[in-house]
Amino acid sequence: MDQEKILVIGACGQIGRELTAALRLKFGQMQVLASDIQAKNNLSTEVFPYQQLDVTDADALEKLIADEQVTQIYHLAAMLSANGEKNPKKAWDLNMNSLLSVLDLSVKYGVKKVFWPSSIAVFGPDSEKTNTPQQGITEPSTVYGISKAAGEYWCKYYFEKFGLDVRSIRYPGLISYTGAPGGGTTDYAVDIFHHGVEAKPFTCFLKKETVLPMMYMEDAIRATLELMDAPVDNIKVRTSYNLSGLSFSPEELATEIEKLVPGFKVDYTPDFRQQIADSWPGSIDDSAAQTDWNWKPAYNLEAMVSDMLLNLRALQEI
């Protein structure tokens, strides 16, 4: 096939919505098939073409890949850190077994490229907390992190054993105005904006001084496309690339929002997610991504806050 046929699994999630839109701009609307567990009649027509899919159903996944003659897969479906701790075995089944199905079927049907996201959750209490290196200690403390750490090595294995071109990014916390928080430990940094734009007080579930790596979604989508466009010989990391955008604490974010929303109030009531956050790095060394495929973020904290509030206010007016 001369034309790419791209399957996005988990297209209705936080990353999936925006990545699907970006891929359609690049390859054409009909060349990118969105899929998720949601029924079609629950979705707006903008996500079409769309196929309902439970990715843990390997037979249904195989039929879709074969029928659509898929050439690239972006496998985004996962249960995130906080939700995963509430149902660890279900999280493992979704996060791990679905990846193995995607890898096996990609080899079987000659899929040219696979993208699978990892996370800073692969790091743990003994990892270096400042400028965590690409080859740093990975000692995850959540089932989400365990599944991502294991998945990285499965991706490397399928590249080395079968020549499958699997590429991956360890995403930091992602911030977007297009979707609601999805059950992650960094999701306070999305929810806080929804309160801020309505000038409502916000209760943060992390301590005010907890610094975590974050990234604006526009940067994350661009990084994903740039990684997948890079020549195969440039991809030196076959587990998952560290990726850095910006690091800040809840207090620093609240201060920046208050500059544009005078009187905005935040209080802090840490819950079980604080322990998860304490196990993660505060900043990431992404020099490998910079060297191998020229990665560079575009947004700092001030620019991100301004753009988030601007877009959320515009959505309120629709």
Side-chain angles (χ1 to χ4, degrees):
M1 292 179 64
D2 293 328
Q3 278 193 313
E4 299 287 352
K5 188 58 181 286
I6 295 166
L7 173 62
V8 182
I9 302 169
C12 295
Q14 184 190 33
I15 303 171
R17 291 175 184 272
E18 298 193 41
L19 183 56
T20 299
L23 288 167
R24 285 173 172 167
L25 283 174
K26 182 178 176 65
F27 293 101
Q29 184 81 12
M30 301 307 296
Q31 298 310 117
V32 180
L33 176 62
S35 69
D36 210 303
I37 200 165
Q38 297 185 43
K40 279 185 179 181
N41 55 9
N42 294 332
L43 303 172
S44 63
T45 55
E46 67 185 25
V47 304
F48 295 167
Y50 176 85
Q51 177 66 52
Q52 184 177 9
L53 174 70
D54 178 352
V55 73
T56 63
D57 183 343
D59 291 337
L61 176 62
E62 179 169 11
K63 186 177 188 305
L64 189 58
I65 292 171
D67 288 352
E68 296 292 336
Q69 297 181 276
V70 170
T71 64
Q72 293 188 35
I73 298 176
Y74 290 72
H75 177 31
L76 310 174
M79 189 178 295
L80 301 183
S81 57
N83 285 344
E85 292 307 286
K86 298 173 185 176
N87 199 336
K89 290 183 179 178
K90 185 176 181 180
W92 176 261
D93 183 43
L94 172 59
N95 296 359
M96 195 77 270
N97 293 332
S98 68
L99 171 62
L100 292 174
S101 293
V102 166
L103 296 175
D104 281 334
L105 293 169
S106 294
V107 172
K108 181 176 180 178
Y109 288 96
V111 173
K112 294 190 293 185
K113 289 182 185 178
V114 175
F115 176 78
W116 174 79
S118 188
S119 165
I120 60 168
V122 300
F123 299 114
D126 293 329
S127 304
E128 294 183 44
K129 293 295 188 284
T130 302
N131 292 326
T132 304
Q134 177 66 49
Q135 301 295 337
I137 296 170
T138 52
E139 199 173 63
S141 59
T142 64
V143 67
Y144 175 67
I146 293 168
S147 68
K148 290 299 184 182
E152 288 187 8
Y153 286 98
W154 276 117
C155 291
K156 184 174 185 286
Y157 179 83
Y158 272 74
F159 171 73
E160 294 175 346
K161 187 79 170 179
F162 303 107
L164 181 62
D165 188 1
V166 194
R167 307 185 184 193
S168 180
I169 285 171
R170 289 172 181 158
Y171 285 126
L174 298 180
I175 301 171
S176 169
Y177 56 85
T178 63
T185 300
T186 58
D187 276 349
Y188 85 85
V190 178
D191 202 14
I192 192 173
F193 282 102
H194 289 271
H195 285 72
V197 78
E198 297 178 6
K200 294 180 178 178
F202 177 68
T203 298
C204 181
F205 54 73
L206 297 181
K207 295 177 182 177
K208 63 182 180 180
E209 67 273 14
T210 305
V211 176
L212 290 170
M214 299 283 188
M215 179 169 286
Y216 198 32
M217 187 64 80
E218 274 78 353
D219 271 343
I221 299 303
R222 181 171 56 83
T224 305
L225 297 179
E226 289 176 359
L227 170 69
M228 296 300 279
D229 282 344
V232 65
D233 291 342
N234 287 30
I235 306 303
K236 308 300 184 185
V237 176
R238 286 295 177 172
T239 49
S240 188
Y241 277 97
N242 274 5
L243 195 69
S244 180
L246 46 152
S247 290
F248 54 80
S249 68
E251 184 177 44
E252 289 171 324
L253 179 57
T255 298
E256 199 64 40
I257 292 173
E258 190 178 6
K259 292 178 182 178
L260 300 177
V261 185
F264 179 54
K265 299 297 182 184
V266 179
D267 59 63
Y268 302 89
T269 306
D271 65 14
F272 73 99
R273 287 166 283 196
Q274 183 63 50
Q275 185 176 1
I276 297 173
D278 288 342
S279 73
W280 289 352
S283 58
I284 298 291
D285 176 4
D286 64 359
S287 54
Q290 295 176 39
T291 299
D292 293 355
W293 40 281
N294 300 316
W295 163 246
K296 185 178 181 181
Y299 284 85
N300 60 20
L301 181 58
E302 181 181 5
M304 181 197 71
V305 169
S306 176
D307 200 61
M308 276 288 291
L309 291 173
L310 179 68
N311 281 285
L312 284 173
R313 284 168 175 152
L315 288 173
Q316 280 187 329
E317 295 172 1
I318 295 176

